[in-house]
Amino acid sequence: EVLLVESGGGLIQPGGSLRLSCTASGFTLSSHWMHWVRQAPGKGLVWLSRISGDGKTRNFADSVKGRLTISRDNAKNTVYLQMNSLRVDDTAVYFCARDLETSSSYYGIDVWGQGTSVTVSS
Amino acid sequence: SYELTQPPSVSVSLGQMARITCSGEALPKKYSYWYQQKPGQAPMLVIYRDSERPSGIPERFSGSSSGTMFTLTISGVQAEDEADYYCLSADSSGSYAVFGGGTQLTVL
């Protein structure tokens, strides 16, 4: 069974940093681009970032560029999202997701984790 | 920045056809994908590459594209189809992805 399990969420003060992890199982992680997507309470989905299977290529949404870093360790079957200078409006559920496409031209998420909740508050 | 536009809500009677649209300038050049999300759950892929249906998704779900518009059609809507639906695509250069704002489907 293909599974993605996120961890690392929690309550963090404004200005703080957090690293989220996504552990994959049931497929070969290195063969897939991987994404992070977030959803604020009661709001829609927002794409944040993706990383290529070999970790050499990264793309970011303009709204988070400079504050987020995406990385991966294929040997550990894990993808990471480092978030810095956190703001109250970063409060959201953060989803890790797998891409079904092999071409870098397309963004096609086919598998989602259940998400990890991040609350930024003083 | 690039945007995908969806209607905020669509209502349809049980057993009727629902159409949810997604418009974006780059859609003729990029594939689009559709996701269903029910409260408290992760999204689920229902259509990929404009019109392909993943295994396990009922045949009543279909997708089509025409110019800058992409349409998700649900034929013979069931009560369990009531959910939020999101489209996903990329900007024309493939530099980033964007979701539509989401459409809440209500089954009457």
Side-chain angles (χ1 to χ4, degrees), chain B residues 16-99:
Chain B
Q16 298 303 302
M17 179 179 292
R19 290 189 177 93
I20 300 173
T21 59
C22 173
S23 63
E25 291 181 356
L27 288 181
K29 307 175 186 176
K30 296 296 181 186
Y31 284 135
S32 295
Y33 306 78
W34 283 101
Y35 302 90
Q36 177 193 72
Q37 187 181 33
K38 296 181 178 179
Q41 297 183 15
M44 179 178 68
L45 179 68
V46 294
I47 292 291
Y48 67 100
R49 295 179 190 162
D50 294 350
S51 60
E52 301 294 321
R53 193 173 53 249
S55 60
I57 299 301
E59 291 184 5
R60 64 180 181 271
F61 288 86
S62 64
S64 62
S65 62
S66 177
T68 59
M69 184 79 72
F70 177 57
T71 302
L72 172 69
T73 301
I74 310 172
S75 305
V77 166
Q78 303 297 303
E80 62 263 30
D81 299 332
E82 187 163 281
D84 293 327
Y85 291 84
Y86 296 89
C87 59
L88 169 68
S89 191
D91 75 307
S92 57
S93 67
S95 297
Y96 60 89
V98 63
F99 285 95

Side-chain angles (χ1 to χ4, degrees), chain A residues 39-105:
Chain A
Q39 187 170 36
K43 302 297 185 181
L45 301 172
V46 176
W47 180 83
L48 296 176
S49 181
R50 72 168 182 174
I51 185 169
S52 61
D54 61 6
K56 293 181 179 180
T57 303
R58 299 168 172 84
N59 299 98
F60 293 92
D62 286 344
S63 60
V64 296
K65 200 174 291 184
R67 293 196 303 124
L68 267 57
T69 302
I70 190 171
S71 61
R72 64 194 298 159
D73 185 338
N74 289 334
K76 294 183 177 180
N77 287 315
T78 303
V79 181
Y80 304 98
L81 184 69
Q82 175 73 37
M83 303 188 296
N84 301 320
S85 303
L86 284 164
R87 308 188 298 232
V88 171
D89 62 0
D90 291 319
T91 295
V93 173
Y94 286 74
F95 295 100
C96 169
R98 185 184 81 169
D99 202 312
L100 65 91
E101 304 290 359
T102 55
S103 168
S104 61
S105 296

